[in-house]
Amino acid sequence: MPRPALSWTDAALVFVGGAVGTVLRTLLLLPTASGWQTWGLLAVNVVGALALGLLTGVMLRRAATERDRRLRLLLGTGLLGGFTTYSALAVHAASPLWFWIAVLTVVLGVIAAFAGLRLGRGGSRP
């Protein structure tokens, strides 16, 4: 019988990582100083993109094992998926300021992800 695409253990890894990532994001975005939510959200998403690129680059340098697959689920899909919040940008993008913040977040996020990927692979091209 073929292995299911996602086991209960895999789902638990994503759940735990996502919960921790969401708590970290919430703690970083709690201060309510003027503009903190806007720029803090941008920072969280760009740092998360960099970290995901770095994680992916490091994993690409290694021979894939079952442990690596589970680490990707816990740290990549779970922790960094919960830490970043591109969905918040979609909710706020109707206002002109938030539209440009969303554009800036996506552009900087892509740049950060490629930078992380390159760093994770030891400086080689992605």
Side-chain angles (χ1 to χ4, degrees), residues 76-121:
T77 306
L79 185 106
L80 294 172
F83 182 70
T84 58
T85 178
Y86 284 89
S87 61
L89 291 174
V91 169
H92 295 292
S95 77
L97 172 65
W98 274 97
F99 172 78
W100 291 111
I101 294 294
V103 170
L104 186 61
T105 299
V106 171
V107 169
L108 291 178
V110 168
I111 292 168
F114 275 108
L117 183 61
R118 188 169 185 155
L119 286 170
R121 293 186 76 185

Side-chain angles (χ1 to χ4, degrees), residues 30-102:
L30 271 182
T32 56
S34 178
W36 177 255
Q37 290 290 329
T38 302
W39 301 111
L41 188 63
L42 173 69
V44 161
N45 286 330
V46 172
V47 167
L50 176 68
L52 186 57
L54 185 62
L55 176 67
T56 302
V58 167
M59 292 294 179
L60 287 174
R61 286 191 345 204
R62 303 162 44 120
T65 65
E66 180 64 19
R67 181 175 176 262
D68 291 337
R69 187 184 71 76
R70 291 195 170 165
L71 273 174
R72 279 194 320 271
L73 287 172
L74 176 68
L75 300 176
T77 306
L79 185 106
L80 294 172
F83 182 70
T84 58
T85 178
Y86 284 89
S87 61
L89 291 174
V91 169
H92 295 292
S95 77
L97 172 65
W98 274 97
F99 172 78
W100 291 111
I101 294 294

Side-chain angles (χ1 to χ4, degrees), residues 6-28:
L6 188 68
S7 70
W8 285 105
T9 302
D10 294 343
L13 289 169
V14 173
F15 176 80
V16 168
V20 171
T22 301
V23 168
L24 288 174
R25 173 176 31 95
T26 301
L27 290 174
L28 288 172

